[in-house]
Amino acid sequence: MDYLLLKHFHMTCVALSGGFFLLRGGWMLADSRLLQRRWVKTLPHVVDAFLLASALGLAAWSHQYPGQAPWITAKVSALVAYVLLGTVALKRGKSLRVRAIALAGALLTFVYIVLVATTKNPLPFLPA
């Protein structure tokens, strides 16, 4: 597999992962029973596993690692925040308000991760 193929696979996984999260977040806000379907509980984790594997492959291929490349350090740090906010939004939030706030925070964090990835800048909102 060449680098561009792996990169496009990774970007596809990003889109699928974000799309599934947004869908599940919408269903959570609507208190939908669809969240209890087996594929809804399984498929996003499969996609996320491929996303993580492709990210590790890209890091190894490009020789850019957290701690060495500031933009990758920012992405990994934001990824941890995204996962924590996502678990509060979809599972651990004690009230709908807490879940909605965590969902909004997770979605903003997802956007930040994408911006960092596309600009390769840990502060993508500041002029270069």
Side-chain angles (χ1 to χ4, degrees):
M1 179 179 293
D2 71 345
Y3 181 82
L4 279 180
L5 184 60
L6 183 58
K7 180 179 173 182
H8 284 99
F9 178 74
H10 180 73
M11 292 186 313
T12 300
C13 290
V14 168
L16 288 171
S17 180
F20 280 134
F21 182 72
L22 184 60
L23 180 65
R24 292 185 302 155
W27 286 344
M28 177 276 299
L29 291 174
D31 197 26
S32 174
R33 291 179 166 221
L34 293 171
L35 278 172
Q36 302 309 315
R37 298 223 171 162
R38 184 177 180 92
W39 73 268
V40 174
K41 291 182 175 193
T42 306
L43 188 58
H45 299 293
V46 172
V47 170
D48 289 345
F50 283 120
L51 178 59
L52 180 59
S54 63
L56 294 173
L58 287 169
W61 203 315
S62 67
H63 303 286
Q64 296 183 36
Y65 307 101
Q68 179 260 338
W71 70 278
I72 294 183
T73 304
K75 275 183 61 175
V76 170
S77 299
L79 177 63
V80 171
Y82 172 70
V83 168
L84 293 174
L85 287 165
T87 59
V88 171
L90 297 178
K91 293 180 183 177
R92 305 200 190 298
K94 300 292 185 201
S95 68
L96 183 60
R97 182 171 190 264
V98 168
R99 287 176 175 227
I101 291 168
L103 177 65
L107 291 172
L108 288 172
T109 304
F110 182 85
V111 169
Y112 169 77
I113 294 168
V114 171
L115 287 173
V116 169
T118 56
T119 64
K120 296 189 177 25
N121 179 357
L123 300 171
F125 302 111
L126 298 180

